[in-house]
């Protein structure tokens, strides 16, 4: 300090600060590791994205109250955690009126989704689900980000009015109790499961300048809740 003097010391600190700010992210990580720190990076991976939404959630909140409705959502999330193939879950996050769950495989994600159609959590709670396959980032805060997540999130609320092209023989389009699958998700399914899905057409994705070709899981379609 005596060699620099107060002004010289301040200039030296500032020059070191400038040099540090010129380091790349990889260089900063290398410095931290040299100092003995363990560095966790954001992770990008290919996953199956299952999104579930409780239809008419606002009406349920008014009817049940906030606390009771949140118990319903918690029970829905617990269904995923207690599924026989829960070990395939990469990440599960509640969304206030449903959940977003990431899986290693589309086949297991579909198995979990089917469980909500085969055994509803509550008789008067109706669900809509979307299943997609794509690349996302999992952050250090254990959150998920990426455009593929935005695409998946649009699936559960898609309406027939958003269809821009119908297949030659479109399947019925359920309002609720449905699983919609994207083309990317379909490509990841084994043939046996793929044959149990029916095309419903090409749809606009709300707020995105994209369209998606969709299929519906066919065996669970309730005739009384279907539209053409």
């Amino acid at each position: 300090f005596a060699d620099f003097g107060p002004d010289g010391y301040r200039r030296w600190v500032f020059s070191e600060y400038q040099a540090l700010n010129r380091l790349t992210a990889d260089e900063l990580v290398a410095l931290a590791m040299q100092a003995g720190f363990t560095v966790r990076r954001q992770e990008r991976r290919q996953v199956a994205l299952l999104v579930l939404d409780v239809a008419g959630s606002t009406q349920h909140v008014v009817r049940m109250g906030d606390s009771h409705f949140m118990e319903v959502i918690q029970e829905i999330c617990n269904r995923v955690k207690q599924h026989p193939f829960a070990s395939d879950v990469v990440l599960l996050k509640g969304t206030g009126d449903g959940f977003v769950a990431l899986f290693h495989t589309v086949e297991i994600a579909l198995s979990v989704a089917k469980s909500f159609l085969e055994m509803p959590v509550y008789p008067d709670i109706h669900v809509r689900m979307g299943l997609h396959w794509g690349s996302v980032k999992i952050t250090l805060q254990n959150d998920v980000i990426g455009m593929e997540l935005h695409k998946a999130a649009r699936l559960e609320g898609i309406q027939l009015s958003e269809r821009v092209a119908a297949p030659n023989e479109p399947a019925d389009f359920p309002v609720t109790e449905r699983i919609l699958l994207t083309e990317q998700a379909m490509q990841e399914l084994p043939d046996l499961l793929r044959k149990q899905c029916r095309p419903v057409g090409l749809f606009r994705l709300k707020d995105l300048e994209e369209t998606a070709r969709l299929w519906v899981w066919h065996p669970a379609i309730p005739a009384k809740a279907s539209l053409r």
Side-chain angles (χ1 to χ4, degrees):
F1 181 82
D3 293 336
F4 284 107
D7 291 337
Y9 180 73
R10 280 195 294 268
R11 285 194 297 271
W12 177 80
V13 170
F14 183 66
S15 66
E16 289 297 302
Y17 171 78
Q18 287 181 311
L20 187 62
N21 273 327
R22 284 194 290 269
L23 293 176
T24 66
D26 287 336
E27 289 170 332
L28 285 170
V29 167
L31 283 174
M33 293 180 70
Q34 288 171 14
F37 292 97
T38 300
V39 179
R40 292 179 58 199
R41 295 174 181 265
Q42 288 189 156
E43 180 183 0
R44 179 174 286 279
R45 62 166 72 180
Q46 294 279 331
V47 293
L49 301 100
L50 175 63
V51 179
L52 179 144
D53 167 74
V54 171
S57 57
T58 302
Q59 288 81 359
H60 288 304
V61 170
V62 172
R63 179 171 59 87
M64 299 179 176
D66 291 349
S67 298
H68 188 190
F69 184 72
M70 289 312 299
E71 289 174 3
V72 172
I73 298 301
Q74 187 59 54
E75 190 166 342
I76 287 173
C77 291
N78 288 341
R79 172 77 66 85
V80 179
K81 296 176 184 177
Q82 295 163 5
H83 192 275
F85 299 127
S87 60
D88 197 71
V89 176
V90 177
L91 184 146
L92 172 65
K93 291 187 72 70
T95 59
D97 56 0
F99 66 74
V100 175
L102 309 186
F103 296 81
H104 291 293
T105 66
V106 173
E107 186 174 2
I108 298 301
L110 179 59
S111 176
V112 172
K114 286 162 49 183
S115 73
F116 287 99
L117 303 184
E118 295 162 355
M119 189 182 299
V121 176
Y122 287 93
D124 59 343
I125 294 291
H126 303 290
V127 297
R128 303 174 295 195
M129 290 171 279
L131 183 51
H132 182 46
W133 173 264
S135 177
V136 298
K137 275 187 178 180
I138 300 176
T139 70
L140 301 183
Q141 292 74 36
N142 205 32
D143 203 353
V144 56
I145 58 176
M147 182 53 68
E148 301 308 316
L149 174 64
H150 289 287
K151 293 178 184 176
R154 300 305 188 274
L155 299 178
E156 42 84 6
I158 279 183
Q159 301 178 20
L160 195 61
S161 60
E162 295 170 295
R163 184 162 67 184
V164 296
N168 293 333
E169 296 182 7
D172 288 346
F173 190 81
V175 177
T176 60
E177 276 60 63
R178 72 186 187 196
I179 307 168
L180 293 178
L181 300 93
T182 63
E183 190 168 8
Q184 293 87 342
M186 288 288 292
Q187 291 171 354
E188 296 294 318
L189 284 176
D191 288 342
L192 183 63
L193 291 175
R194 205 177 308 162
K195 289 176 182 177
Q196 297 182 68
C197 301
R198 299 291 182 268
V200 288
L202 186 69
F203 288 77
R204 289 188 302 271
L205 298 180
K206 187 178 180 180
D207 300 326
L208 300 178
E209 294 181 1
E210 294 192 37
T211 55
R213 199 169 299 281
L214 301 179
W215 282 254
V216 65
W217 174 251
H218 192 262
I221 293 180
K224 66 180 181 180
S226 300
L227 298 173
R228 280 286 186 179

